[in-house]
Amino acid sequence: MEVLLDVDWRVEGSSGFLLRMFSCLLKEITEMKRREEEEKQRKTTGQSPEEEEEEAASEQKGAAAAADDEVKKKERKCVPGIIYLGHVPPRLRPKHLRNLLSAYGEIGRIFLQPEDRQVRRKKKKSGSRRCDFTEGWVEFRDKRVAKRVALSLHNTPMGTKKRQRFFSDLWNIKYLHRFHWTHLSERLAYEQTVLQQRLRAEVSQAKKETSFYLNNVEKSAHLEHWRKKQHRDGEQVEEKTWDFTQRQTEEEIQKKKKKKDSITQKHLNKARLMQQESQSNVSLLAKIFNSNQSE
């Protein structure tokens, strides 16, 4: 039948017409056979076509509900967990960390805190452009896996073989209970806002200082011009003298404290000597009186 249906219909004349008629008859016969088979199956089951459609719809609904239940169970079971890395060795990057920890479970997001700007500036001055990290956070898809990893890997070497790069470094891992990734993002956003506010305050202070300095420079230039003009005219210029005392330095304060301490120590020593002499005089007088009374 398939061969006859795949015949080339470009045949001209009566032969093409006969082939078309023959193919239509074959299609009708196949449809009749299919209908007869369906009726036989209905008779054996004793159900109407409407009931069969209802059963099929109910089966589809049950399968969809079961699939939803499985998805919900998986979502309930797979609660993400976050671990904290207190030490990040030099030259360790997020891709290396993912390769090391992906053997224990599925990993989500990773964040490593870069070094401070001052440290990076010192490194640039020394000639190294490498940027290292100080601490990090790793998110596991399942919190049970995160707990297991934190308990098993804490204070153990990072590498399994001696020739590996991070074999000499130890894991410093802690599981963070009831900690979510949003908490970390909020903390980073807060630190960023604090840093921006500090920079704005420093910039505003620098602007104030520069404006104050420029104003004083202009005033001094104006006064100098005025003095020169008075000197040309032969007028006497009164020079102002500023009487002020400079603030004492830490060394001067320490010296004064030492002097005071030495003076107080001398006075204490004198008072002790006088007390000892008075006690000795009292003992002598007591001996004298005792001897007189005995006589």
Side-chain angles (χ1 to χ4, degrees):
M1 291 170 64
E2 292 178 358
V3 175
L4 291 170
L5 289 170
D6 293 334
V7 174
D8 190 2
W9 298 109
R10 293 178 183 178
V11 181
E12 296 178 356
S14 61
S15 61
F17 179 73
L18 290 170
L19 286 170
R20 288 195 192 100
M21 291 293 291
F22 186 64
S23 64
C24 291
L25 289 170
L26 287 173
K27 285 180 181 179
E28 289 179 358
I29 291 163
T30 51
E31 286 179 0
M32 291 288 288
K33 285 182 179 180
R34 185 173 59 78
R35 288 173 185 171
E36 288 177 358
E37 288 176 357
E38 287 179 357
E39 287 177 358
K40 285 179 182 179
Q41 287 179 358
R42 287 171 190 169
K43 287 177 181 178
T44 52
T45 54
Q47 291 179 350
S48 63
E50 293 177 355
E51 291 177 352
E52 287 181 356
E53 288 178 359
E54 289 178 357
E55 283 184 359
S58 63
E59 286 177 359
Q60 288 178 358
K61 288 181 181 178
D68 292 334
D69 292 335
E70 288 178 359
V71 170
K72 286 180 182 178
K73 285 179 181 178
K74 286 180 180 179
E75 288 177 354
R76 287 175 187 171
K77 288 180 182 177
C78 295
V79 177
I82 297 170
I83 60 172
Y84 171 73
L85 298 174
H87 168 67
V88 179
R91 297 181 184 275
L92 183 71
R93 298 290 178 268
K95 59 180 181 180
H96 302 145
L97 191 62
R98 190 178 289 277
N99 291 331
L100 289 170
L101 294 176
S102 59
Y104 304 99
E106 190 179 356
I107 293 173
R109 291 167 284 191
I110 295 173
F111 176 76
L112 298 179
Q113 182 71 33
E115 289 177 333
D116 195 16
R117 290 185 178 181
Q118 295 179 357
V119 178
R120 279 184 278 173
R121 285 173 188 170
K122 288 179 182 178
K123 283 186 176 180
K124 282 183 181 179
K125 286 180 182 178
S126 62
S128 66
R129 295 182 179 179
R130 187 182 69 198
C131 178
D132 293 327
F133 302 97
T134 55
E135 55 186 356
W137 291 264
V138 182
E139 183 186 32
F140 281 88
R141 296 296 184 190
D142 193 355
K143 69 177 183 181
R144 292 173 292 184
V145 177
K147 288 179 183 178
R148 229 178 289 128
V149 168
L151 289 171
S152 60
L153 293 182
H154 185 59
N155 283 334
T156 58
M158 285 188 173
T160 54
K161 296 179 182 179
K162 289 185 178 180
R163 292 185 179 180
Q164 286 184 351
R165 185 186 291 178
F166 308 109
F167 179 77
S168 59
D169 295 304
L170 298 176
W171 288 108
N172 188 2
I173 300 175
K174 183 183 178 182
Y175 176 73
L176 302 175
H177 293 277
R178 295 179 182 179
F179 187 83
H180 302 285
W181 199 261
T182 53
H183 299 158
L184 178 61
S185 59
E186 287 173 1
R187 179 194 163 190
L188 294 172
Y190 174 73
E191 288 179 356
Q192 192 68 24
T193 52
V194 168
L195 181 63
Q196 287 178 359
Q197 287 177 358
R198 195 186 301 160
L199 289 171
R200 285 173 188 166
E202 289 177 358
V203 169
S204 64
Q205 185 67 25
K207 284 181 179 178
K208 286 179 183 178
E209 289 175 359
T210 52
S211 63
F212 180 73
Y213 175 74
L214 292 171
N215 290 328
N216 287 333
V217 168
E218 288 177 0
K219 285 179 182 178
S220 64
H222 182 68
L223 288 171
E224 190 67 25
H225 180 69
W226 180 68
R227 282 174 189 168
K228 285 180 180 178
K229 189 176 179 182
Q230 283 186 343
H231 186 68
R232 280 181 215 155
D233 297 338
E235 296 178 1
Q236 291 182 357
V237 180
E238 295 180 358
E239 293 184 359
K240 292 183 179 180
T241 56
W242 304 96
D243 296 329
F244 62 92
T245 56
Q246 190 175 358
R247 189 178 178 181
Q248 293 179 351
T249 60
E250 287 291 330
E251 292 180 358
E252 291 176 353
I253 293 165
Q254 293 294 331
K255 284 179 182 178
K256 282 187 177 181
K257 281 184 179 179
K258 286 179 181 178
K259 284 181 181 178
K260 286 181 181 178
D261 293 338
S262 62
I263 290 164
T264 52
Q265 191 69 29
K266 286 179 182 178
H267 287 304
L268 288 170
N269 292 330
K270 285 181 181 179
R272 283 173 188 169
L273 288 170
M274 290 173 70
Q275 190 175 2
Q276 288 176 3
E277 287 177 358
S278 63
Q279 285 178 358
S280 62
N281 291 331
V282 168
S283 61
L284 286 169
L285 289 169
K287 286 179 182 179
I288 291 163
F289 283 117
N290 289 327
S291 63
N292 292 327
Q293 286 176 2
S294 61
E295 289 175 358

